[in-house]
Amino acid sequence: SGILTKGCHNPPCAGSSKAQAGGWGTGTVHLAEERVKNFQTILIALDAGGEEALLRALIKYFVDRQDIMDGQVLRSQTPLGQLYPSYRYQLPDFLAALTYISDVGIGGRKFYTGEPRVAEGVRYGLVNAVMFLAQAYKEAIQYDACDENNWELVNDRFPISNSCGQLGMNYQDMHCRDDEAFMECPLRTDMEQVALTNALWFQAPGPLKCGPRSKFPTTGFWDYDAGRE
């Protein structure tokens, strides 16, 4: 290669010795600028050093550790603290979501997968993914639910009105920050909605639901002894 030999195909060549540059030529690389452009063109075509390469490396990291993910990370727990493999949170689903939010993004923002110009830059993306999983475990994986559960007891009962807010909050009055206002939906007093998931323990409260006051003027509570409202 002209890059290695610098025009010297039978070392040692004039101007060099084995002690200097291994006896190879010491001149300039032939067509160096063109070689650099060709290298960049091929690198981009193969996507060997960009964000997609980081995403591939990130996905491979988790795929190579599927047993650890299934056995130690994607695990939910019963109210008694017993751990079991999550029914709802599976590694293929996580990787599919990771691919989407990294490639397409949400609200004009994409998932951070690392630094393409730093050696082993995927490690930065890995830290971000682990932080995401830690937050997901706290909010959802440990409960094996993607919607909020009816979990707050009031006078030893689970009020149906917990759909309107738990821990003293009123969800109807909550607003996004200015920089996240694009995610806020306008209030619809006629809306009816039922959550898709709820806690899985025996006779746990059903999915949270909401509706207009004209249809639900009063609400009761969940009877966990009978397993119904």
Side-chain angles (χ1 to χ4, degrees), residues 67-125:
D67 290 343
I68 296 175
M69 291 293 294
D70 293 341
Q72 300 181 36
V73 179
L74 300 177
R75 291 172 65 81
S76 305
Q77 60 181 336
T78 68
L80 297 178
Q82 298 170 316
L83 295 175
Y84 63 91
S86 174
Y87 297 122
R88 295 184 172 122
Y89 292 91
Q90 305 291 323
L91 182 59
D93 298 327
F94 167 66
L95 296 180
L98 180 64
T99 300
Y100 182 85
I101 60 178
S102 299
D103 283 343
V104 180
I106 299 174
R109 300 180 182 180
K110 295 183 178 182
F111 190 85
Y112 175 71
T113 54
E115 293 294 326
R117 295 178 177 81
V118 176
E120 298 188 5
V122 70
R123 292 179 179 269
Y124 296 88

Side-chain angles (χ1 to χ4, degrees), residues 18 20 118 141 164:
K18 289 186 177 180
Q20 294 178 331
V118 176
I141 297 175
C164 302

Side-chain angles (χ1 to χ4, degrees), residues 9 43 67 72 78 94 103 137 143 179 198 217:
H9 302 290
L43 190 67
D67 290 343
Q72 300 181 36
T78 68
F94 167 66
D103 283 343
Y137 186 85
Y143 307 116
D179 61 333
N198 61 296

Side-chain angles (χ1 to χ4, degrees), residues 54-64 95-96 98-99 122:
L54 290 172
L55 176 59
R56 288 197 299 269
L58 199 57
I59 290 175
K60 184 178 185 302
Y61 180 91
F62 287 110
V63 170
D64 290 346
L95 296 180
L98 180 64
T99 300
V122 70

